[in-house]
Amino acid sequence: MIKRKSVFHQVLVAAVVLMLTPIVLPAQIRDSLTKAFEQKPKPFFQFDGYNSFVRNRGANALGFKIGLDFGKKIRFGIGYMELFTDVVDSIQVKPGTYYRGEVKSSYFTTGVEYVIYRNDPWQINMPVHLGFGTSYYEYPDGKRTNNKALQGNIIMLEPAVTGHYKIIKWVGVGFGVGYRIMLKNNTEITDKLSSPLYILRLKIFLDEVYKSVFTSNQANR
């Protein structure tokens, strides 16, 4: 049993090191990853979002992520995001029929996030996410409000450096920068969505809220 566990840890460490090698030297993270994977993983859930630009106009992504946290050092997660832009074009839905369509996108993500610095109340992370989904024009025609046109598949890579400062135990200010790299574009839409990302948001630490509420309830029993 011990041998199997050891092999499992080695495989996990090797996989993560390979993913992070272009960013961080393996020698700098090998020991911390080994210790993290020896700990029991804990589930996490978080609302997520960031800002970017498409055609020099605002584009905001909102969604959520769930996954496993190993020793508060590395996270593996999956999630779902929607990208809302301020880009509006005149699109031809059928011959002779045009509508004002807004460029949007929805996609699932999977990725890894490594904590490169932690010293409460500060924390700095290095997330890398891979996204799979679609981009399209959304337009109203007087009958429905969520019509889609010129829909096509997209694949994107989003490396970033993010962090937060805890104002209080439950709440912090999040910040960061990154880049959205389009590995596959929707050929039906001229906007390729590649863009720098910038993050500034209020961050709620749901795990701390959970601990405080349930620990308090148990103590009062």
Side-chain angles (χ1 to χ4, degrees):
M1 186 70 178
I2 295 176
K3 187 175 181 180
R4 287 184 180 179
K5 185 177 180 181
S6 176
V7 171
F8 175 70
H9 289 161
Q10 291 176 10
V11 171
L12 276 176
V13 171
V16 175
V17 166
L18 286 174
M19 294 180 71
L20 295 176
T21 294
I23 308 171
V24 182
L25 293 176
Q28 296 176 310
I29 63 174
R30 188 182 301 275
D31 291 342
S32 62
L33 288 178
T34 300
K35 292 178 181 178
F37 288 134
E38 289 175 350
Q39 301 184 40
K40 183 179 179 180
K42 296 182 179 179
F44 74 86
F45 172 85
Q46 69 181 45
F47 293 107
D48 207 1
Y50 57 75
N51 307 306
S52 62
F53 297 96
V54 174
R55 206 187 300 169
N56 296 321
R57 298 185 182 181
N60 303 318
L62 298 173
F64 66 88
K65 289 187 177 72
I66 59 173
L68 294 175
D69 186 316
F70 290 81
K72 294 185 177 181
K73 192 63 179 178
I74 191 161
R75 287 179 166 188
F76 295 91
I78 59 174
Y80 176 78
M81 304 289 290
E82 290 196 3
L83 181 69
F84 305 89
T85 78
D86 294 333
V87 176
V88 178
D89 291 322
S90 177
I91 59 172
Q92 181 175 248
V93 178
K94 55 185 178 181
T97 303
Y98 291 83
Y99 292 99
R100 287 175 56 82
E102 181 178 0
V103 176
K104 289 190 176 183
S105 174
S106 58
Y107 54 97
F108 292 93
T109 68
T110 181
V112 59
E113 182 172 343
Y114 178 69
V115 178
I116 60 177
Y117 177 80
R118 178 192 294 274
N119 187 8
D120 283 341
W122 293 96
Q123 179 173 311
I124 299 176
N125 310 323
M126 191 174 292
V128 179
H129 294 113
L130 188 64
F132 304 87
T134 61
S135 64
Y136 51 87
Y137 283 105
E138 183 175 280
Y139 67 96
D141 63 1
K143 298 177 182 179
R144 300 174 56 191
T145 58
N146 294 314
N147 296 280
K148 296 179 181 180
L150 304 180
Q151 188 169 352
N153 296 326
I154 58 171
I155 301 175
M156 66 184 72
L157 182 68
E158 295 177 340
V161 176
T162 65
H164 66 254
Y165 176 84
K166 275 190 177 180
I167 302 173
I168 59 175
K169 187 176 182 179
W170 295 351
V171 181
V173 176
F175 52 87
V177 293
Y179 202 89
R180 184 193 307 117
I181 303 168
M182 300 305 297
L183 303 179
K184 175 179 171 54
N185 290 301
N186 176 4
T187 57
E188 298 293 330
I189 295 180
T190 56
D191 298 290
K192 303 310 179 186
L193 305 184
S194 295
S195 169
L197 312 176
Y198 64 96
I199 301 164
L200 183 60
R201 63 188 175 221
L202 190 67
K203 191 165 184 177
I204 308 297
F205 301 102
L206 298 178
D207 56 339
E208 295 291 353
V209 175
Y210 179 87
K211 287 180 189 176
S212 298
V213 172
F214 282 88
T215 301
S216 176
N217 288 340
Q218 291 177 359
N220 293 330
R221 289 179 181 177

